[in-house]
Amino acid sequence: MSEDSKRLHPGKGSKKKGRIIDRGRQVKPEALQEVRELLGDKSRQRDLLIEHLHLIQDKFGHISAAHLAALAQEMVLPQAEVYEVATFYAHFDVIKEGETAPPAVTIRVCDSLSCQLRGADQLKEALEAKVDPAQVRVVNAPCMGRCDTAPVAEVGHRHVDNATVDSIVQVVEAKDFHAQIPESISYETYTAEGGFALLKDVKAGNRTYEELSTILSDSGLRGLGGAGFPTALKWKFVRQEEGPRLMAINGDEGEPGTFKDRFYLESDPFRFLEGMLIGAWAVEAEGVYIYLRDEYPAAREIVTKAIARIEAEGLVEPGFIHLRRGAGAYICGEESAMIESLEGKRGYPRQRPPYVAQVGLFNRPTLVNNVETVFWLRDIVEKGADWFSSHGANGRKGLRSYSVSGRVKNPGVKLAPAGTSMNELIENYCGGMEDGHTFKGYLPGGASGGILPASKGDLPLDFGTLEEYGCFIGSAAVVVLSDKDDMKDVALNLMKFFEDESCGQCTPCRSGTEKTVKLIEEGNWDLDLLADLSMVMGSASICGLGQAAANPVNSVINYFKDDVIARG
């Protein structure tokens, strides 16, 4: 028995013919040495498991069984637990013993709806015919949060926008797989325009919690990650719980069609950080954890540097902010699944109650806010509640960041009054429909928000305005569809996404999404059976993924009957 094994597993092993034999998979010394070199002096604490798996994946391009076993020993965790976490997340390529490691280069082609509309399927086929499969593999990947530049591919950590075969091959041949970092507002520019003055005021006691809470309440600011819960009320609920408390930022905007959080992080990171720290001050949090999706390597680098700068400027204590990487799991956009992932576990949604405001990260009361929510805090407090609430349209209040993609001339993040209609977004903010395309329908809130026809293009896009039509605004991920699009294909794309992204914890979602995909792949839709599946998923699933998964199919049946082939 090795010295490490004796230290970590005293008394284990079995005796056979006078020798002690370790049970289970043996740790290879060379793999253990490689893992130790990668981890260096980093902590081996349990919640860093996913971070350490990223180190191995980034270094070797995959995670071997030997490295899994070595990491388990180094972190004093069961190998089965490390394996189940590693295999849960799509961005970890776990290679079992005896399996062949993937090629050194992987091209991921986004297969989300916006990219499919722009020819992603044809792009992937052409790439597969172009590259040497022994050197380069081509795989599908879910939404990368760059829907305004569809189709999109990723080579290593480098994204290729408006991708073509030639532009992707050029990146492969150049062997430059690092993320391209866009310019963002500098610390000097941000502070010259009054940045961090509010944070300094609240820390100095010049502004009170009651004052800020009243301003936010009067402004009508709500959670902008999709749920729309009033921000001031969430502060109140967390504050009334006994400390110590924590804060978590949900930067895992995996909803197909959403990219607003990436836009704000990459362009104005210090405004985000100031708002986040004000929120942490409001609930007297002892630390903040930022959960940022792994598809955003540029944002991660920008935010990492921004955190280091404000630490150096004395605006926050080093170690107060923890930046963590997601690993390719849409379900972790659900707040309790995100909490589980932050703790280094599989992203399984928790049964509620208790809610995360009561028992959240590390069993502490936790304030969970979306990136865009805290991004607006400074402006609202400095300019006043009336400034924010005065920007509504069609009877609504506030501002919304609409992520618009699909069949429009000028896609992108469109900052517009809350309640702006789809017709107004297309004509006033997106330059109209793409040439040769006629407005047919739209997704107001990403894959889970349902689909509405062009005849309902004048509805105000905001919380509470679309539910009576079987849809919701969510994170305002707007995908515009035209007369060139077959709604059956749209529904199939969205349902395949839910099937792939179901965490598998509950049967209604796990089996319901799979069976729904099989049904709609058939030429004739069994409407009665689809309705039954929708009812079961909606009423019995643990979290919002399963509860909303049937929305695209229901919408197509309700509003696009001409596209549906009824049962014979």
Side-chain angles (χ1 to χ4, degrees):
M1 182 181 289
S2 68
E3 290 303 315
D4 285 311
S5 185
K6 290 177 182 177
R7 174 173 59 85
L8 296 172
H9 307 292
K12 281 197 171 184
S14 60
K15 226 172 184 181
K16 186 175 183 181
K17 295 185 179 179
R19 293 189 304 169
I20 295 178
I21 302 173
D22 282 339
R23 299 173 186 162
R25 185 184 301 278
Q26 304 307 301
V27 176
K28 296 180 179 179
E30 60 273 20
L32 183 60
Q33 181 61 30
E34 289 171 338
V35 166
R36 285 176 173 171
E37 289 177 357
L38 276 177
L39 268 56
D41 59 359
K42 294 179 175 63
S43 172
R44 272 57 167 173
Q45 64 199 57
R46 173 66 178 80
D47 57 286
L48 290 175
L49 173 57
I50 294 173
E51 294 295 301
H52 295 342
L53 287 168
H54 274 303
L55 293 175
I56 299 173
Q57 177 72 38
D58 289 345
K59 174 68 175 179
F60 300 102
H62 64 278
I63 303 176
S64 68
H67 285 132
L68 279 179
L71 182 62
Q73 177 168 310
E74 191 66 10
M75 297 187 71
V76 197
L77 292 171
Q79 290 187 25
E81 188 173 345
V82 175
Y83 178 82
E84 71 180 13
V85 171
T87 54
F88 180 85
Y89 295 94
H91 289 187
F92 296 139
D93 293 309
V94 178
I95 307 302
K96 298 177 183 178
E97 197 166 306
E99 290 184 342
T100 303
V105 178
T106 296
I107 300 172
R108 291 180 168 83
V109 179
C110 179
D111 63 0
S112 73
L113 178 60
S114 298
C115 286
Q116 187 184 63
L117 296 177
R118 298 288 180 180
D121 291 343
Q122 294 81 2
L123 175 64
K124 180 173 180 287
E125 289 179 6
L127 278 170
E128 288 172 331
K130 180 79 172 181
V131 301
D132 179 0
Q135 303 296 322
V136 180
R137 66 170 174 166
V138 183
V139 298
N140 284 325
C143 185
M144 297 178 183
R146 310 179 76 87
C147 314
D148 53 332
T149 58
V152 177
E154 185 181 24
V155 188
H157 290 300
R158 179 167 180 171
H159 288 98
V160 183
D161 297 326
N162 303 119
T164 64
V165 172
D166 290 341
S167 63
I168 295 171
V169 170
Q170 185 177 2
V171 171
V172 173
E173 292 176 345
K175 298 182 180 180
D176 181 7
F177 307 143
H178 297 95
Q180 293 180 299
I181 311 301
E183 288 190 17
S184 59
I185 295 174
S186 68
Y187 177 81
E188 288 75 17
T189 300
Y190 183 71
T191 53
E193 298 174 351
F196 292 113
L198 178 58
L199 178 64
K200 292 176 182 178
D201 276 348
V202 299
K203 285 189 170 184
N206 298 329
R207 308 294 288 267
T208 66
Y209 161 77
E210 289 75 17
E211 179 187 2
L212 265 63
S213 178
T214 298
I215 292 172
L216 291 187
S217 180
D218 292 345
S219 74
L221 180 65
R222 302 173 72 167
L224 297 173
F229 196 84
T231 302
L233 190 57
K234 185 176 282 191
W235 279 12
K236 176 183 176 181
F237 286 161
V238 175
R239 275 181 65 94
Q240 71 186 16
E241 297 293 328
E242 185 177 352
R245 308 179 192 93
L246 293 170
M247 182 180 187
I249 293 293
N250 192 338
D252 195 64
E253 57 171 359
E255 186 72 35
T258 311
F259 46 93
K260 61 182 179 63
D261 291 350
R262 176 182 62 83
F263 172 79
Y264 287 124
L265 289 173
E266 291 181 351
S267 61
D268 201 353
F270 292 106
R271 191 177 304 271
F272 155 70
L273 290 174
E274 182 172 13
M276 179 190 76
L277 292 173
I278 291 169
W281 163 85
V283 299
E284 300 174 347
E286 295 192 350
V288 180
Y289 288 75
I290 303 173
Y291 189 84
L292 184 60
R293 67 184 311 216
D294 195 35
E295 289 86 348
Y296 291 173
R300 184 169 65 250
E301 183 169 333
I302 290 170
V303 173
T304 298
K305 291 180 178 179
I307 292 171
R309 182 62 187 271
I310 64 174
E311 288 178 345
E313 295 291 339
L315 293 168
V316 65
E317 290 292 324
F320 183 82
I321 302 173
H322 306 265
L323 180 60
R324 299 287 177 84
R325 292 169 68 176
Y330 167 73
I331 191 63
C332 291
E334 195 276 339
E335 63 177 7
S336 67
M338 178 194 69
I339 294 296
E340 289 288 297
S341 190
L342 280 169
E343 293 179 354
K345 306 172 186 173
R346 293 174 294 179
Y348 275 178
R350 296 177 178 177
Q351 295 279 4
R352 293 176 290 184
Y355 297 92
V356 297
Q358 302 164 305
V359 182
L361 187 59
F362 308 125
N363 294 320
R364 297 181 180 182
T366 303
L367 172 67
V368 176
N369 278 147
N370 170 256
V371 167
E372 191 194 356
T373 303
V374 298
F375 183 87
W376 288 113
L377 283 181
R378 175 194 161 196
D379 287 292
I380 292 173
V381 175
E382 289 183 346
K383 298 177 182 178
D386 291 342
W387 167 80
F388 188 75
S389 61
S390 66
H391 283 87
N394 299 313
R396 313 302 295 179
K397 293 183 178 181
L399 288 165
R400 289 303 302 262
S401 301
Y402 298 95
S403 304
V404 186
S405 62
R407 306 297 194 177
V408 292
K409 288 182 179 177
N410 302 314
V413 175
K414 310 298 179 180
L415 183 61
T420 297
S421 71
M422 190 66 252
N423 285 328
E424 290 169 334
L425 271 180
I426 293 173
E427 296 303 322
N428 300 337
Y429 293 86
C430 299
M433 292 292 292
E434 192 177 345
D435 291 340
H437 291 260
T438 300
F439 182 33
K440 181 178 182 178
Y442 63 103
L443 282 67
S448 59
I451 311 171
L452 288 169
S455 61
K456 299 192 183 300
D458 290 325
L459 294 175
L461 297 178
D462 197 16
F463 297 114
T465 62
L466 307 176
E467 281 74 3
E468 64 178 293
Y469 304 100
C471 298
F472 55 81
I473 186 67
S475 59
V478 179
V479 183
V480 183
L481 306 169
S482 79
D483 58 331
K484 309 295 184 185
D485 302 317
D486 188 322
M487 292 300 174
K488 297 192 307 297
D489 293 338
V490 170
L492 180 59
N493 176 279
L494 300 175
M495 282 307 307
K496 283 185 174 180
F497 169 78
F498 287 126
E499 179 189 21
D500 290 340
E501 295 297 331
S502 174
C503 73
Q505 181 180 190
C506 67
T507 302
C509 176
R510 180 183 66 249
S511 298
T513 53
E514 178 187 2
K515 292 184 182 301
T516 300
V517 166
K518 289 180 179 179
L519 283 173
I520 63 178
E521 281 181 325
E522 298 175 358
N524 297 322
W525 286 21
D526 187 330
L527 301 184
D528 292 336
L529 189 50
L530 286 170
D532 287 344
L533 284 169
S534 173
M535 183 272 295
V536 171
M537 285 191 289
S539 59
S541 296
I542 290 176
C543 78
L545 190 155
Q547 293 163 11
N551 284 350
V553 176
N554 293 338
S555 295
V556 170
I557 293 172
N558 291 334
Y559 299 117
F560 303 95
K561 292 188 184 298
D562 291 343
D563 284 289
V564 177
I565 302 175
R567 283 187 298 163

